[in-house]
Every structure is written in structure tokens, then in C-alpha cells.
Amino acid sequence: MNPKMAPASRGERILCSGWVSARSLVKSARMQGDTGSGAALHPFCTAPARERRGRGAAACASGCQGPGRRWFMSLRFSFWSRIGLALLLAAAGDLFLFGPFSGLASALFGFCLIVALLAARPEVLRHRPALGVLALALLLLAALVERPGALAAVLFVPAVGAAALLPRAPARLDAWRGLRAVVWRGALTPVSLGIALAQIRGRLGPGPGFGQVLGLLALPLGGGLLFLLLFSSANPLVEQALSALTPWSLLGGVTPGRLLFWGVCFLFAYGLLRPARLRWRVRQSRRPVEWPGVSTASVRLSLLLFNLLFAIENTLDLAFLWSGAALPEGVTLAAYAHRGAYPLIFTALLAGLFVLAALRPGTRTAADPLLRRLVVLWIGQNILLVASSLRRTLAYIDAYSLTELRLLALVWMALVALGLGLICFRLLAGRSGAWLINANAAAAGATVLLFLLAIDPAAVVAGWNTRHNLERTGQGVALDWDYLDQLGDAALLPLLALERSDAPDDMRRRAAALRQRLLACLERRQARPAEWSFLGARRLAEAKRLIDREGRE
């Protein structure tokens, strides 16, 4: 005994011995097989473990129901409980989703899916990445309530599917492999369900035959039918009720389309509660393959030539686009800006693909110091090229007004610039391809959530166009009233601001007429539960507040 360590007291020794005994009991209770002798017994059975293992999960020869039997009963109960829960979710889908699209109803159904997933799969609560994806799914449900749309509903499906699969997935999984796994396992859900039912059927053994079932039901059905006929002859109300019962009336509003919808909802819910058990392929780390024609010398010459060509294009942009120098005769700034915006973005994307293909981590080209400097210079020029594309698009917007497509193009260009920066960082830091995919997916997801929850593109477009037009600033084009009408109630508040501005009188009268019509449409839409939204409610309240304040003034 260590002289520096004090001897254990009697209470500590009793506590330690009790702990050892408890662990021994737990191990013996969980024992389901022997270690080779074939004579090990579980505490509640006198039959050898070899005999129990030969009979599978069935009862032992002595007729007891030990741990193996109770484990199988709990497994069967778990399977059938998930089947029942999936049927309940299918009924909820019929209640919330069958019919016209409603953001609030879709969000309620999504919330039911998440609650059922957490109840049937408690391991999701103990998995941090799965909880993160579930938080993303909840934000998408909030976006459905805030501003109903198909994008949030479509993105919710892979999000909740990934949350169901992540507890069984490998530790390092990129977003692209995760999306493929969700799609693949979702497609195999019917096969997984059929296999599970066949296994349960095999374990339960053969069921009763047709003759046995007929003999069991003949007396109750025959007697019940006889008494029902006697009651119908004695009571006209019963006779009328029986005459009204037809096969189609019993089915009610059930149609083939509705049955198909039930089946899709059931399979989707079952796939969440009991995903298909497929083996995940573990990628072995291996040396990257050198592609033919891609050598250090060829990549060096390519980067030198590409840097020279990009330097020429960036010099022209700096001279004419950024500094405001006069363009050659016959070329306008709007034409110069519009012609080059989208081809330059495509050029930047090709540059990023070239860097990913030619300078993969682990190759000789990625380890060359000169090539790394040339790549950093080239990516910097690509980012300047994307900035020039942004400037071109803004110049075109100044000349021809703003649209939702042009606004989304600006966002897309910003994401391309961010992706190029991430490619450069991955090369310099030696990060993996999975890191690059996840970083880009996170940036794109954050942008989508920002536009779904915080920014209304149609309202931004309407506000910009009502402030920047030929009638008010003397530059650009005239205000497109038809496009404002197409934007719907998103143009309501900008039109109210236009009414109260110093715009020409005819412009304010036209804005008031369009505002009244859009306000009436918004009130009708908010009065219908299927089309109600938080954004519409806030917009309607703000519009009425401004109108009331203007009336008091």
C-alpha cells in the first residue's frame, strides 16, 4: 500500500464492495450468450444459452420469458408504435396540407414532425450536429409563418431528414454527402418498411389460416346481420340509414389522389422515425491522382497567362468603370455594364473550378511555393472581377431600375466572391474538400435564411423604384406602375411613402389609387386563414396606422 495514501474507512470499503456487486448483477442480467461452453444461464431461465440462441428471440424451452423475450417484445412495440405514429402524422398531413397551400398549416405540420422525431428518436437530442440542423428546420418553419413560400417548405424536408440521419452518420460528413444520403434513404423507405414487416412476420411464425378466421367470425357477423335486418324492418329510421349507406358514402371524400397523398405522408413520416439502415461508405484517405496534362510546369504557364489576361480586363474596368473615364464613341455606360456583368461571373466560377481541380491538397502542384503565390494573385484578380461585375450591375440598375432578379444577382455575385476567398483559404491552410463544401453551404444557408426571415426582396425593390425614377430624380426611367402592381402588397408601404412625398400631383394620385387596391387585396387575404401571415399582418397594421395618422393631420 502506498504510505502516502490513507487507509480506506469501513464505510468506503462497504460502498466499493456494493458497487462491484451491483455491476456484476447488471452484467449477468444483460448476458445473452455464453463464451464458448454453452452452459451459461440468464438469471430467469434454466435453459442453456445455446438453446436460447438457436431459438432466436423466442421463449426458452422451459417456457419462461427472460431478458431475450422481453427485449424482442419491446422491439416489436417500438416498431408498431412508430407505425402508428406515422399513421397519425399522415392524418395530420391530410388535415394541414391537403388543399390550398397555407404557410401556417404547413408550419404546424412541420412542428408535429419534429415533435414526433424527438419522441421516437431520443438520440437526436444527444447529438449536437443533429440539434443544430433541427434549429435550422425550426427557423424554416418560422419563415413559413412569417412569409409563406415554397422555398422554405422545400428546404425544410432535407433539413429534418438530415437531423434524423446525423446520429448514425460518420463524424466527418460534408453537406453534399449528407444531402445524397437523405435522398437515397428516403427513396428506399418503402423497401425498408417491407423488409421490416417481413422480418416481424418471420419471427412471429405462421398466422391463423383462412378457415380459422372464417370460423371465428361466422357467428358474430351472421348474428349481428340478422338482428340488424330485424331492426330495420321494425324501425323506419334504421331502414333509411341502411339504405343511405353505400360503399361510396362510407368512403366519404376519399379519392385516389387523397389516398396517394396519405401514402406519401406516411412513408415520409416512417422514414423519419425509422430511417433505412444502410452502411455508410467510409472514404479511405489516399494520395490524389495526378491528372494527365496537369503538371507543375503546365499549371505554372497557365497561371502566368491567366494572370496576364485578367490584369488586362481589370485595368479596363478600373479605367472606364471605376474612375468614370469617357468610353469610346458608340459605347454607353449602361451597355458596357450590362454586357459584361454575367459573363464575368461565369469567368470567375471557371477560375474557381480550375483552382479546385489543378491544385488539390496533397498534389505536387499544391505544394509548389511559386504556384501558391500565383494562385493567390489570380484569386485576388477574380475577386476584383466580381466587384467589377457588381459595379456593372449597379450601373445598369441606375439606368433601368431595380428588379427582384437583379437584386438576387447582386447577392449571387457576393456569394461567388466569398466562395473564391474560401478556395484561397483552403489552399493556404490545407483544409479538406469537406470543409470547403460545408463552409459554402453554411454561407448559402445563412443568406437564404436572411432573405426568408429578415429581408423582403419585393419590398426592397418597390422602395428603391419609388425613390429613384425619372419623375422624381430626373434620371433613369419612368416608374413602372405595372411592375409595382405585380409586386403585390410588398409595394403597399412604399406607395404610402410616395403619397406623402413631394412627388408630382398626378404621380401621387396614381400611387393612392394603386395603394387602395393593394390594401383591399391584403385585407381580403389576411381574412382567409389559409393565406394569413405574420408579415401581412404587420404590413396591414402599419399601413392602417399611417393612413389614420394622415387622416388626423
Side-chain angles (χ1 to χ4, degrees), residues 171-230:
R172 295 181 179 180
L173 182 69
D174 58 77
W176 175 241
R177 286 187 66 199
L179 180 61
R180 285 188 302 172
V182 169
V183 174
W184 181 239
R185 281 160 174 77
L188 290 180
T189 297
V191 180
S192 173
L193 177 61
I195 293 175
L197 291 174
Q199 290 176 347
I200 293 295
R201 174 66 177 173
R203 291 174 181 175
L204 292 178
F210 178 75
Q212 294 176 331
V213 174
L214 185 62
L216 177 66
L217 299 179
L219 181 60
L221 289 181
L225 182 60
L226 175 61
F227 287 119
L228 193 59
L229 291 176
L230 292 175

Side-chain angles (χ1 to χ4, degrees), residues 311-360:
I312 296 173
E313 175 62 32
N314 285 323
T315 303
L316 291 175
D317 284 342
L318 290 174
F320 296 106
L321 190 64
W322 294 94
S323 66
L327 289 166
E329 186 178 356
V331 180
T332 62
L333 181 60
Y336 181 82
H338 183 259
R339 185 171 180 178
Y342 299 109
L344 291 182
I345 287 296
F346 183 69
T347 303
L349 289 173
L350 285 180
L353 291 176
F354 175 81
V355 173
L356 290 176
L359 285 92
R360 291 167 295 162

Side-chain angles (χ1 to χ4, degrees), residues 289-306:
V289 179
E290 299 285 347
W291 290 355
V294 182
S295 62
T296 304
S298 64
V299 173
R300 185 181 296 118
L301 290 175
S302 300
L303 288 175
L304 288 172
L305 178 60
F306 295 163

